[in-house]
Amino acid sequence: MTDRTIMIDIGKDLFGANEEAAAHNAELFRQSGIRAIDIMGSVGTGKTQLIEALCEKLRDKYRILMVAGDLATTIDADRVASHGVDTVQINTGTACHLDARMIQVALKDIELSQYQLIFIENVGNLICPAGYSLGVDKKIVVVSVTEGPYMVKKHPLTIKRADMVVINKIDLADAIGFDMGALETDVREVDAKIPVYRVSSKTGEGIDTLVEALDF
Ligand code: MG
Ligand code: ZN
């Protein structure tokens, strides 16, 4: 047992400025008739694959823009673009999350009224993205069965600040003996009411239910 734990409190000013920018984004989305969804999760959890699966279901119905946040590459945006979806890349360099101002800059030369739906793939990291509002309608946390059993227990704040939890890669659960019920129990201990959906973005299992839940 550790005998010394230090709590760090990041200054509130930083978050205050972001909240202002987020409110600006939210108003812009509202005026443009856009619903925006922020997808958060660690590297390798299947955020891009989930966006691809959702785009396949929704691209005939809505004009979609995908905003990809990544430290350095355009891999994710390229994958989504291959589905005929417009994309914008934000390379954050050293920043391990997107903030509302980055979204503003990324969207400033885009005619937003042509879109009805924006998927924002946040930087692959389950910690700080949750602390930065982007002005979206929904924040979805993606966890997957391949990340081990403690992803939820170790990131309670991220769950608290999200609107929905998606457990991805359920097609692999049996093979690796992953207890999805236990993971859902962990979610319930943090937030008794947050909706949890089990999907496989690869096989498509659960995607229709998720699309319905998103109320498109
Ligand atoms: Mg990705
Ligand atoms: Zn960060």
Side-chain angles (χ1 to χ4, degrees):
M1 196 72 138
T2 301
D3 60 3
R4 193 175 295 174
T5 303
I6 298 162
M7 299 296 288
I8 294 170
D9 188 7
I10 294 177
K12 282 187 176 141
D13 288 350
L14 181 65
F15 292 114
N18 187 69
E19 289 300 323
E20 268 178 41
H24 182 273
N25 289 349
E27 180 57 18
L28 186 67
F29 293 146
R30 195 190 61 76
Q31 282 173 4
S32 309
I34 288 174
R35 293 187 55 195
I37 297 177
D38 179 14
I39 313 265
M40 305 179 292
S42 313
V43 173
T45 196
K47 296 183 297 301
T48 311
Q49 201 177 35
L50 177 67
I51 291 170
E52 289 180 278
L54 291 172
C55 285
E56 279 298 316
K57 295 282 178 190
L58 295 165
R59 68 177 178 182
D60 293 337
K61 203 170 167 192
Y62 302 108
R63 185 94 192 267
I64 303 171
L65 177 69
M66 183 253 196
V67 179
D70 198 80
L71 296 178
T73 79
T74 62
I75 295 169
D76 298 341
D78 293 344
R79 276 172 57 186
V80 174
S82 76
H83 296 262
V85 171
D86 293 348
T87 58
V88 183
Q89 181 69 52
I90 301 174
N91 282 139
T92 58
T94 55
C96 47
H97 56 268
L98 293 176
D99 65 31
R101 179 80 187 122
M102 292 178 201
I103 300 296
Q104 254 173 38
V105 171
L107 298 181
K108 77 174 176 354
D109 294 324
I110 294 174
E111 179 50 57
L112 286 178
S113 58
Q114 64 184 312
Y115 299 104
Q116 290 97 44
L117 180 58
I118 296 183
F119 287 119
I120 300 171
E121 178 171 343
N122 219 308
V123 179
N125 157 13
L126 202 54
I127 303 168
C128 46
Y132 291 83
S133 304
L134 304 179
V136 297
D137 297 284
K138 270 195 199 311
K139 275 183 168 306
I140 299 181
V141 175
V142 184
V143 293
S144 83
V145 306
T146 54
E147 297 167 285
Y150 306 122
M151 286 309 282
V152 168
K153 272 193 198 300
K154 291 188 176 184
H155 303 93
L157 267 179
T158 300
I159 302 293
K160 270 189 192 136
R161 288 172 177 159
D163 302 299
M164 182 182 280
V165 176
V166 171
I167 302 175
N168 197 12
K169 307 190 187 181
I170 60 170
D171 53 301
L172 301 174
D174 282 348
I176 59 174
F178 189 88
D179 187 344
M180 288 193 283
L183 190 70
E184 282 205 34
T185 301
D186 292 344
V187 173
R188 291 280 155 260
E189 279 174 10
V190 176
D191 184 334
K193 290 189 179 141
I194 191 167
V196 181
Y197 295 92
R198 300 179 182 190
V199 310
S200 166
S201 303
K202 188 178 172 192
T203 67
E205 190 179 352
I207 295 292
D208 283 334
T209 308
L210 179 60
V211 166
E212 254 174 62
L214 288 169
D215 192 31
F216 290 120

